[in-house]
Amino acid sequence: MSAAEDGGVGGEEERREKGLVSGLVDKAKGFVAEKVAQIPKPEASLERVSFKGVSRECITLHSHVDVNNPYAHRIPICEITYTFKTDGNAVASGTMPDPGWIAASGNTKLELPVKVPYDFIVSLVKDLSRDWDIDYVLEVGLTIDLPVVGCFTIPLTTEGEMKLPTLRDLFC
């Protein structure tokens, strides 16, 4: 047998082995992905936005994020990101880094303060003049660190109308 013939046969065996290994790796990836998809994950819900207060710098709104933890140990929350929109425009956005932990085997309620600067109030005047409320959308990303899975973001959205307080409400 010549060297050229031997190289041809060896190359074919090598390709078959690579194909076999590649197939096994693909099956393993599929198996792991299926098992990870079946792992129970925390679930969350977002309450409506309400008026909280007024300061010299901004108007503070707030909402609550309710998180249900199916695990027997607490889970760290990496961050909460939010975007508050009215009339299709982002009015306020921000991040709460490291807001704490989700309690083991139960529900945790997290308060989400949303600070709306006064310079955006001018853009809201058109909506306010009609009915003294704000039509809004609040988008929240709750990022948690799950064992084995890693960082996982739960997207949440709520929308509605928020009645603003009158001057009488603020000073009485």
Side-chain angles (χ1 to χ4, degrees):
M1 177 166 17
S2 71
E5 291 173 357
D6 187 35
V9 172
E12 185 178 315
E13 284 181 33
E14 192 174 303
R15 282 191 296 275
R16 266 189 290 189
E17 286 178 14
K18 283 184 180 178
L20 181 62
V21 169
S22 175
L24 288 174
V25 167
D26 288 342
K27 285 183 181 180
K29 284 181 184 178
F31 177 78
V32 169
E34 182 181 316
K35 293 300 177 189
V36 167
Q38 294 175 359
I39 293 174
K41 296 175 186 71
E43 296 177 354
S45 63
L46 186 61
E47 290 183 3
R48 298 177 63 98
V49 174
S50 60
F51 179 79
K52 186 171 183 179
V54 176
S55 70
R56 291 183 187 158
E57 296 83 30
C58 63
I59 293 174
T60 304
L61 309 172
H62 82 283
S63 183
H64 287 99
V65 180
D66 291 320
V67 187
N68 181 22
N69 181 1
Y71 300 115
H73 60 279
R74 64 186 191 155
I75 298 175
I77 303 170
C78 300
E79 69 179 11
I80 299 175
T81 58
Y82 66 87
T83 302
F84 183 75
K85 297 178 180 180
T86 64
D87 201 25
N89 300 315
V91 173
S93 62
T95 300
M96 285 179 56
D98 194 23
W101 296 80
I102 303 169
S105 300
N107 290 325
T108 300
K109 184 175 261 193
L110 304 166
E111 184 174 345
L112 178 63
V114 177
K115 297 185 183 245
V116 180
Y118 286 122
D119 58 350
F120 287 107
I121 299 298
V122 174
S123 66
L124 300 176
V125 169
K126 183 171 42 171
D127 188 28
L128 290 173
S129 65
R130 283 183 261 145
D131 51 9
W132 200 245
D133 68 16
I134 296 175
D135 300 316
Y136 69 86
V137 175
L138 178 61
E139 298 170 346
V140 174
L142 176 67
T143 303
I144 56 178
D145 189 5
L146 289 177
V148 180
V149 175
C151 285
F152 175 74
T153 301
I154 302 172
L156 304 165
T157 302
T158 187
E159 58 184 88
E161 281 185 356
M162 182 178 52
K163 292 284 185 191
L164 291 179
T166 62
L167 290 176
R168 182 181 300 144
D169 296 334
L170 293 175
F171 297 109
C172 292

